[in-house]
Amino acid sequence: MIKLYGAPQSRASIIQWYLEELSLPYEFVNVNLKEGEHRQAPYLAINPFGKVPAIADGDFYLWESGAILFYLAEKASTIPADVQARALVNQWILFANSTLANGLFIEAVREKEMPRLLQSLEEILGRSPFILGEKFSVVDVAVGSILAYVPIMLKLNFDGYPAVAAYVQNLVQRPAFQASIGAR
């Protein structure tokens, strides 16, 4: 069974969402950040940087939410075999964790980056219900989770971006989302 190490209001909920989508059995291990558990030797043996999330799959440890998403998709055989299709999955996971998250959550760049990012996503999502087309994938967990956090954490909305708003609304209604991020 996979152990997911995380804390409330961390990116661990993104991993939890994907584990729920995949129906993979897991145990959530709460790392008490306020008590400094992430800076103590037992947790540093899992992630030497003391960050959450991390997973343990048997004696294999992995940290960084994007790497974990990719690993879980591989484990569940949901990653395309074609090298170019795989590269697109990797591209979108990296985009979500760096470009999108930074553009939306770093206040100093938000005013410039948010409209540019949302307009491009609006065009993509205006053509298909999910980022990579007609089928939900790990990419939607990566991108969708960042977008779903915008109204929750930043108290911003997607006025002027109806396809993005509809996409987020579709994602937050998924039972796996409700059992993870939506339950917090």
Side-chain angles (χ1 to χ4, degrees):
M1 177 183 297
I2 293 172
K3 287 186 178 183
L4 169 58
Y5 296 87
Q9 300 177 343
S10 74
R11 287 189 181 200
S13 58
I14 298 169
I15 306 307
Q16 187 178 20
W17 176 18
Y18 196 46
L19 286 164
E20 292 284 340
E21 289 285 352
L22 295 172
S23 297
L24 287 175
Y26 69 94
E27 173 189 350
F28 186 87
V29 179
N30 187 38
V31 179
N32 190 327
L33 303 179
K34 290 180 182 177
E35 296 292 324
E37 288 180 6
H38 61 302
R39 302 272 186 230
Q40 296 173 11
Y43 188 73
L44 292 173
I46 296 165
N47 181 347
F49 297 100
K51 300 281 188 177
V52 294
I55 63 166
D57 191 2
D59 60 357
F60 175 69
Y61 300 106
L62 189 64
W63 37 270
E64 280 300 320
S65 61
I68 296 168
L69 287 175
F70 198 75
Y71 172 77
L72 293 173
E74 285 270 356
K75 186 174 180 73
S77 301
T78 64
I79 294 286
D82 176 74
V83 69
Q84 291 177 344
R86 275 174 106 81
L88 289 176
V89 169
N90 202 22
Q91 167 189 272
W92 279 103
I93 290 172
L94 293 171
F95 164 81
N97 281 1
S98 60
T99 304
L100 185 61
N102 290 338
L104 299 179
F105 286 93
I106 295 176
E107 191 172 352
V109 299
R110 185 181 308 132
E111 187 175 329
K112 176 185 170 193
E113 291 296 309
M114 188 169 175
R116 186 179 62 80
L117 293 167
L118 292 182
Q119 185 55 48
S120 294
L121 286 169
E122 179 71 16
E123 291 169 16
I124 292 164
L125 294 168
R127 295 188 296 264
S128 60
F130 299 106
I131 297 292
L132 294 179
E134 298 300 315
K135 188 177 172 192
F136 177 86
S137 74
V138 66
V139 164
D140 298 296
V141 172
V143 172
S145 61
I146 300 300
L147 292 174
Y149 285 142
V150 167
I152 296 167
M153 296 174 75
L154 301 177
K155 306 295 186 222
L156 298 173
N157 59 47
F158 298 114
D159 290 349
Y161 306 100
V164 172
Y167 171 72
V168 172
Q169 189 59 33
N170 179 32
L171 294 179
V172 302
Q173 292 176 5
R174 295 178 70 85
F177 183 95
Q178 289 298 314
S180 54
I181 296 172
R184 297 187 191 242

